[in-house]
Amino acid sequence: MDTKKLRQKILDLAIRGKLVPQDPNDEPASVLLERIRAEKERLIADGKIKRPRKSKTSASPSHYEKLPSGWEKTTLKDIAWFGGGKTPSTENKQFWKDGTVNWVTSKDMKEPIIYHSQIKLSEIGATQNILYPMGSLLMVTRSGILRRTLPLARLGEAATVNQDIKAICTPYSELNEYLYYYFSGREKEILEKFQKSGTTVESIDFEKFQEIEILLPPLQEQIRIIHQLKFLFKVQEKIDSETSELNRLITDTRSKVLELAMQGKLVPQDPTDEPAADMLRRVNPKAKIITDIPHSRNIPSNWVLCRFGDIASISRGASPRPIKSYITNDPNGVNWIKIGDTDGKYINSTKEKIIREGVNLSREVKKGDFLLTNSMSFGKPYILNIDGCIHDGWLVISPKEESYDKEFLYYLLSSQYAYSQFSDKAGGAVVSNLNSAKVANTSFPLLSILEQKRIVAKIEELYACLDKIETSLQS
């Protein structure tokens, strides 16, 4: 189940007045508007807030045509007042020493309600800023993350804010909370309509944002909407938790399938198959069967354990340098294979090509070869569906003669059995990495091609079942 889409649908229903039924006994939102205006005038008269300037921007166009009964169409500036913050001088240690007052930055805007900030101001430092009351709605208006998301939160305790955040205040905590959900439901639209253009850091044009249309329900309906949203989101969180657990179990099951496969326990052996010892002598008469390590005792009797380098050639890629001099836009150029070109277990195409002169300075690979990452996220295998060249972040593996079925070798290299050996051999450096000698010295099982094919068929049968479960969870 796509719970993100479900959450958005729930929020959309809420701000359209379709999540809970209207109650004709509710005090209409028009009366609430009058009370808010009166309170704002009182605060202006007391000098606690300033009278808003007349907007230089036009009001945003109507978001919906018809309002539910008792609702009113208004703007944010008509129901709220706003404030900002700053960073007190860091040179004045008295502003920060023994801090007790929350000073909220965008790094604190990770939860719906903020009780504690990462950095706190001292009582003296707090006088350099405005202290906003518990329940105030905060909105990040300047941050590099605004292209992707609109951080919103409410204050669980009184706090000051820095210059990247605007506080939105109303006389009613319920209205503050309703606005939190209202803006959450219109996040994508807000990011598209109110982004400032031409700025180095992503910013919201807050003066323009104050004109955003607000569809205002009666206060009692706001309370019902909030209660219903909280209930539904708890259900969604439970679904997310259970889905996450199921996905974890699916991942563990895939790993277990490969573990059983590499121990010869996934399908029964067939005594008529070619013995692996005979197969090894045919592929490489000089190769030796490994019998002196624990792995050799955990495989079927008609399998053998051998050095991987005895049944496959392993080479490292290379890069012509400087690589920029060899990159070409010529569609007839040679495929330049990079980690970003991977697509599942296959590499089907590349984003870049190099000129023919670069081939002799690189490592040429062919369709059907295996590539293995050798640094950072090392030990991940891919099957080539194209010819091309590889840089030194890859190892190319080519099985000798018919020692391995292509699909079986992919699953073998993807298994924890293989990764554990790669990890052991890659350790010890500042940056873990593999080289051809390390991979060649791993010990892998060899078994008849026919059994390899039966194992692949069984793995793919079981994986298909797991894929169906995963798909059903996402639909």
Side-chain angles (χ1 to χ4, degrees), residues 83-88 103-109 129 132 137-146 149-152 160-167 201-206:
K86 63 180 180 179
T87 301
W103 180 66
V104 178
T105 72
S106 58
K107 293 180 180 179
D108 300 308
M109 303 278 284
N129 256 344
Y132 295 103
L137 176 61
L138 304 184
M139 175 178 167
V140 173
T141 58
R142 183 178 177 275
S143 172
I145 62 177
L146 280 172
T149 185
L150 179 68
L152 297 164
T160 61
V161 301
N162 78 343
Q163 62 275 6
D164 296 336
I165 294 174
K166 287 288 186 183
V201 179
E202 298 294 332
S203 302
I204 294 291
D205 188 334
F206 198 76

Side-chain angles (χ1 to χ4, degrees), residues 295-409:
H295 296 314
S296 63
R297 295 191 292 272
N298 295 327
I299 59 175
S301 58
N302 59 341
W303 292 21
V304 296
L305 203 64
C306 55
R307 181 176 172 274
F308 191 43
D310 288 339
I311 47 177
S313 62
I314 302 119
S315 304
R316 189 172 185 175
S319 297
R321 291 182 170 84
I323 185 60
K324 288 182 179 179
S325 301
Y326 293 87
I327 298 296
T328 179
N329 292 323
D330 185 348
N332 295 317
V334 179
N335 288 317
W336 182 237
I337 301 165
K338 299 169 73 175
I339 301 295
D341 298 317
T342 56
D343 181 19
K345 68 179 178 179
Y346 296 105
I347 299 176
N348 299 305
S349 62
T350 63
K351 298 180 182 67
E352 294 182 338
K353 295 180 184 290
I354 59 172
I355 57 177
R356 177 57 58 180
E357 289 78 2
V359 174
N360 292 334
L361 300 173
S362 181
R363 174 75 63 181
E364 194 167 12
V365 289
K366 299 295 183 182
K367 181 178 180 179
D369 282 343
F370 278 79
L371 296 188
L372 193 73
T373 55
N374 65 23
S375 62
M376 301 301 286
S377 182
F378 60 84
K380 290 187 176 180
Y382 299 94
I383 302 173
L384 277 175
N385 270 340
I386 54 173
D387 298 338
C389 285
I390 57 171
H391 55 66
D392 50 11
W394 291 110
L395 297 175
V396 58
I397 297 173
S398 301
K400 294 180 179 179
E401 295 189 20
E402 293 185 357
S403 54
Y404 281 116
D405 172 80
K406 180 173 65 175
E407 299 295 328
F408 178 83
L409 182 56

Side-chain angles (χ1 to χ4, degrees), residues 261-286:
M262 299 314 143
Q263 292 176 356
K265 298 177 181 178
L266 196 63
V267 300
Q269 280 71 52
D270 187 334
T272 64
D273 287 344
E274 178 186 25
D278 294 346
M279 184 179 177
L280 180 60
R281 283 191 289 270
R282 176 170 52 80
V283 172
N284 184 355
K286 296 181 180 180

